[in-house]
Amino acid sequence: MINQIERADGLINRALKDQLDRTVFPRVQNPIAYVGGELNSVRKDPRAVAGRLCLAFPDLYAIGMSNQGLQVLYTQMNQRADWACERAYAPMKDMERTLRSQGLPLYSLETFTPLGECDVLGFSLQYEISYVDILTMLDLANIPLRSEGRTLADPLVIAGGPCAQNPEPVAPFIDVFVTGDGEPA
């Protein structure tokens, strides 16, 4: 019964969160970057929406959380009643090692949902140096790196932002590119 109440509140992966609380967060330098629950974050019941988008910023939380474009898209998507929008950021090396050693997936901050369970995973391409973090995030999410290896069971991987104007360097890893402003798209 507790799980059903938590699911209605949007915290759909209590088992993963509990494991992170017990075995991961005590071992990493900056656990606050991985626990979510910030002021104005939005949790929606996944059973009440048509789809789930996770905005993935391929850099550390401390850098990505202040990105204006990400904040605008997050707000606009969550204003829609038919979609839930969550966020994920690239982990620091110690968090990456701990997730890998325990076989745990990268997850969204709002509901601790593994990224591979989202319908759409949208990367913000702000600068080329973050391209490696895209691959790290896909790998930690157990999503095939190359788009040709994905099936309908995997999330649609999209990317936009300034570097989407020249998408060729990451084209093998992205299913769809959004060029121009993300808000109208």
Side-chain angles (χ1 to χ4, degrees):
M1 187 62 170
I2 291 174
N3 279 342
Q4 292 302 317
I5 293 169
E6 289 167 350
R7 286 175 191 239
D9 184 38
L11 188 59
I12 63 164
N13 198 334
R14 176 52 80 182
L16 178 58
K17 183 175 183 324
D18 287 347
Q19 186 170 4
L20 292 164
D21 286 343
R22 279 190 326 275
T23 65
V24 175
F25 297 151
R27 292 189 171 105
V28 297
Q29 284 183 338
N30 193 18
I32 195 68
Y34 311 112
V35 298
E38 306 95 327
L39 185 64
N40 296 321
S41 61
V42 178
R43 287 186 181 159
K44 291 186 181 180
D45 184 346
R47 299 167 299 183
V49 296
R52 297 172 72 187
L53 162 67
C54 186
L55 296 174
F57 197 89
D59 207 332
L60 303 178
Y61 173 86
I63 295 168
M65 58 81 65
S66 63
N67 180 275
Q68 293 291 316
L70 193 77
Q71 290 179 12
V72 168
L73 293 174
Y74 179 80
T75 300
Q76 284 188 337
M77 285 302 296
N78 276 317
Q79 286 175 347
R80 295 179 55 127
D82 59 338
W83 275 83
C85 184
E86 302 186 24
R87 300 160 300 135
Y89 300 90
M92 292 177 66
K93 291 296 179 193
D94 62 337
M95 178 66 162
E96 178 186 347
R97 275 191 307 273
T98 305
L99 289 173
R100 289 186 191 285
S101 72
Q102 295 194 25
L104 297 174
L106 190 59
Y107 55 89
S108 67
L109 290 180
E110 282 71 16
T111 63
F112 294 87
T113 298
L115 300 187
E117 294 178 16
C118 294
D119 298 303
V120 179
L121 182 60
F123 284 98
S124 179
L125 304 179
Q126 297 297 308
Y127 30 84
E128 292 87 355
I129 199 166
S130 67
Y131 288 173
V132 172
D133 287 330
I134 293 170
L135 301 179
T136 299
M137 292 175 79
L138 289 171
D139 189 49
L140 284 170
N142 298 314
I143 298 170
L145 294 182
R146 294 184 172 271
S147 58
E148 64 194 18
R150 296 187 200 119
T151 68
L152 292 176
D154 296 306
L156 179 68
V157 177
I158 65 174
C163 291
Q165 301 303 316
N166 179 22
E168 206 52 38
V170 289
F173 313 105
I174 306 296
D175 299 318
V176 176
F177 287 93
V178 177
T179 58
D181 289 335
E183 295 85 353

